[in-house]
């Protein structure tokens, strides 16, 4: 079973990169399952219903994970609970039902899988609950027969991400980080079972400060101004990981990084 997991998709530039590259990625890798983090997919903050439909129906993405920006577009409250394949960070203080942090599905090719989404506590918004406890709880809801177990851990620090991955090593198939919008090169398989990377990186404009317009970001850091925010436009790249799983055991057999440069094609 092959899984393509992509990190935070940043606004229109990120969605354009997805549209441009997904068909060739499908041709090259034939992924059974595609997971995308959608917390920044609408103008860099949140996800609208139109964009949810674009990602799922038009682009064929199977599961959308989220993060601290999940509720930035208030209309999400109207549709988030009608679509099981939108997975919220189950331990976030403003997520009332922790079960919304877990989706159990079956691929068109017949593989069963579970995707969980959790958020960190270090350098993050206040009120997030213990992700270690919540990981145990969410995965305890997964039937024993579903061996492919995946976690998008949306967190700021490499240490918290690696600690949770080590905590779950040998018990889940894949732990990957999102939220920093910065890809790391430490992809590996823990305990010969659990694929891991600290952050898959964003799909969006890299001539930026984590996807945000550089001038606006500098105004914030230099003058404390918080206006003119929005996605940058240039050096658009797609980043993610491609993993191969043994769906009978849940063992991650292979993990590789994926990068495509939109600007240079
Ligand atoms: Fe993000
Ligand atoms: Fe985030």
């Amino acid at each position: 079973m092959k899984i393509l997991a992509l990190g935070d998709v940043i606004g229109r530039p990120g969605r354009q990169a997805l549209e441009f590259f997904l068909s060739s990625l499908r041709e090259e890798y034939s992924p059974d399952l595609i997971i995308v983090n959608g917390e920044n997919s609408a103008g860099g903050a949140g996800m609208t219903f139109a964009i949810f439909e674009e990602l799922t129906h038009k682009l064929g993405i199977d599961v959308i994970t989220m993060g601290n920006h999940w509720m930035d577009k208030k209309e999400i409250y109207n549709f988030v609970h009608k679509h099981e394949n939108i997975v919220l960070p189950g331990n976030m203080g403003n997520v009332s039902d922790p079960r919304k942090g877990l989706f159990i599905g079956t691929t068109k090719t017949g593989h069963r899988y579970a995707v969980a989404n959790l958020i960190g506590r270090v350098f993050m918004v206040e009120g997030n609950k213990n992700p270690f406890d919540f990981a145990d709880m969410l995965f305890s809801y997964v039937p024993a027969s579903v061996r492919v177990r995946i976690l998008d851990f949306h967190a700021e620090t490499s240490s918290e991400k690696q600690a949770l991955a080590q905590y779950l090593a040998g018990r889940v198939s894949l732990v990957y980080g999102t939220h920093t919008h910065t890809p790391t090169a430490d992809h590996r398989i823990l305990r010969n079972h659990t694929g891991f990377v600290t952050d898959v990186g964003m799909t969006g404009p890299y001539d930026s400060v984590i996807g945000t317009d550089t001038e606006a970001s500098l105004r914030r850091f230099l003058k404390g101004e918080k206006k003119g925010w929005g996605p940058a436009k240039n050096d658009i790249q797609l980043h993610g990981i491609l993993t191969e799983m043994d769906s009978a055991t849940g063992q991650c057999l292979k993990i590789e990084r994926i990068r495509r440069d939109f600007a240079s094609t």
Side-chain angles (χ1 to χ4, degrees):
M1 176 181 179
K2 288 183 182 170
I3 300 165
L4 177 64
L6 302 172
D8 311 43
V9 172
I10 312 297
R12 187 180 298 276
R15 302 197 317 271
Q16 283 176 330
L18 281 183
E19 184 169 2
F20 190 82
F21 288 116
L22 269 181
S23 54
S24 61
L25 287 168
R26 280 198 174 90
E27 261 175 44
E28 192 171 346
Y29 298 108
S30 304
D32 300 279
L33 171 64
I34 302 178
I35 310 166
V36 163
N37 188 298
E39 72 149 3
N40 307 109
S41 58
M47 180 172 69
T48 61
F49 185 64
I51 289 174
F52 169 68
E53 292 230 295
E54 179 184 333
L55 294 174
T56 53
H57 293 160
K58 184 176 164 195
L59 300 179
I61 289 155
D62 301 292
V63 181
I64 312 276
T65 52
M66 297 295 275
N68 52 304
H69 289 290
W70 76 266
M71 67 301 159
D72 283 2
K73 296 286 183 287
K74 298 305 172 200
E75 67 174 88
I76 197 168
Y77 290 106
N78 299 330
F79 64 90
V80 67
H81 290 287
K82 295 177 189 161
H83 300 276
E84 287 187 358
N85 62 341
I86 305 172
V87 192
L88 302 183
N91 64 324
M92 194 165 163
N94 62 7
V95 174
S96 52
D97 179 6
R99 292 290 293 253
K100 193 59 189 154
L102 179 70
F103 173 65
I104 300 170
T106 306
T107 68
K108 292 186 186 79
T109 43
H111 300 289
R112 296 204 76 203
Y113 63 90
V115 176
N117 188 197
L118 291 168
I119 196 161
R121 291 188 296 180
V122 184
F123 299 141
M124 301 293 285
V125 290
E126 296 287 312
N128 299 337
K129 295 156 200 157
N130 187 325
F132 296 78
D133 293 342
F134 268 67
D136 284 336
M137 183 177 76
L138 288 179
F139 286 116
S140 78
Y141 298 146
V142 180
S145 59
V146 179
R147 300 316 309 165
V148 174
R149 298 168 175 220
I150 302 153
L151 172 63
D152 171 349
F153 187 33
H154 197 81
E156 186 70 44
T157 66
S158 47
S159 56
E160 192 177 20
K161 288 166 165 170
Q162 293 179 21
L164 184 55
Q166 293 287 8
Y167 180 70
L168 294 170
R171 298 192 281 145
V172 306
S173 311
L174 176 65
V175 178
Y176 64 93
T178 58
H179 177 70
T180 70
H181 299 186
T182 306
T184 62
D186 60 333
H187 52 295
R188 58 198 188 271
I189 297 174
L190 304 173
R191 292 195 198 173
N192 197 30
H193 189 92
T194 303
F196 172 69
V197 66
T198 297
D199 204 300
V200 290
M202 67 177 173
T203 289
Y206 275 72
D207 183 6
S208 68
V209 176
I210 62 167
T212 297
D213 176 72
T214 298
E215 294 302 319
S217 184
L218 288 179
R219 281 198 300 275
R220 179 192 174 194
F221 282 106
L222 293 172
K223 298 178 184 171
E225 289 176 14
K226 218 177 172 186
K227 59 184 180 186
W229 279 64
K233 295 185 174 69
N234 296 321
D235 192 14
I236 300 166
Q237 301 173 22
L238 175 147
H239 282 261
I241 47 169
L242 193 277
T243 61
E244 203 170 324
M245 305 288 174
D246 180 336
S247 61
T249 64
Q251 182 188 18
C252 181
L253 305 169
K254 189 176 170 189
I255 179 167
E256 63 180 290
R257 285 185 20 76
I258 302 289
R259 170 179 170 167
R260 296 290 184 274
D261 289 54
F262 191 53
S264 61
T265 53

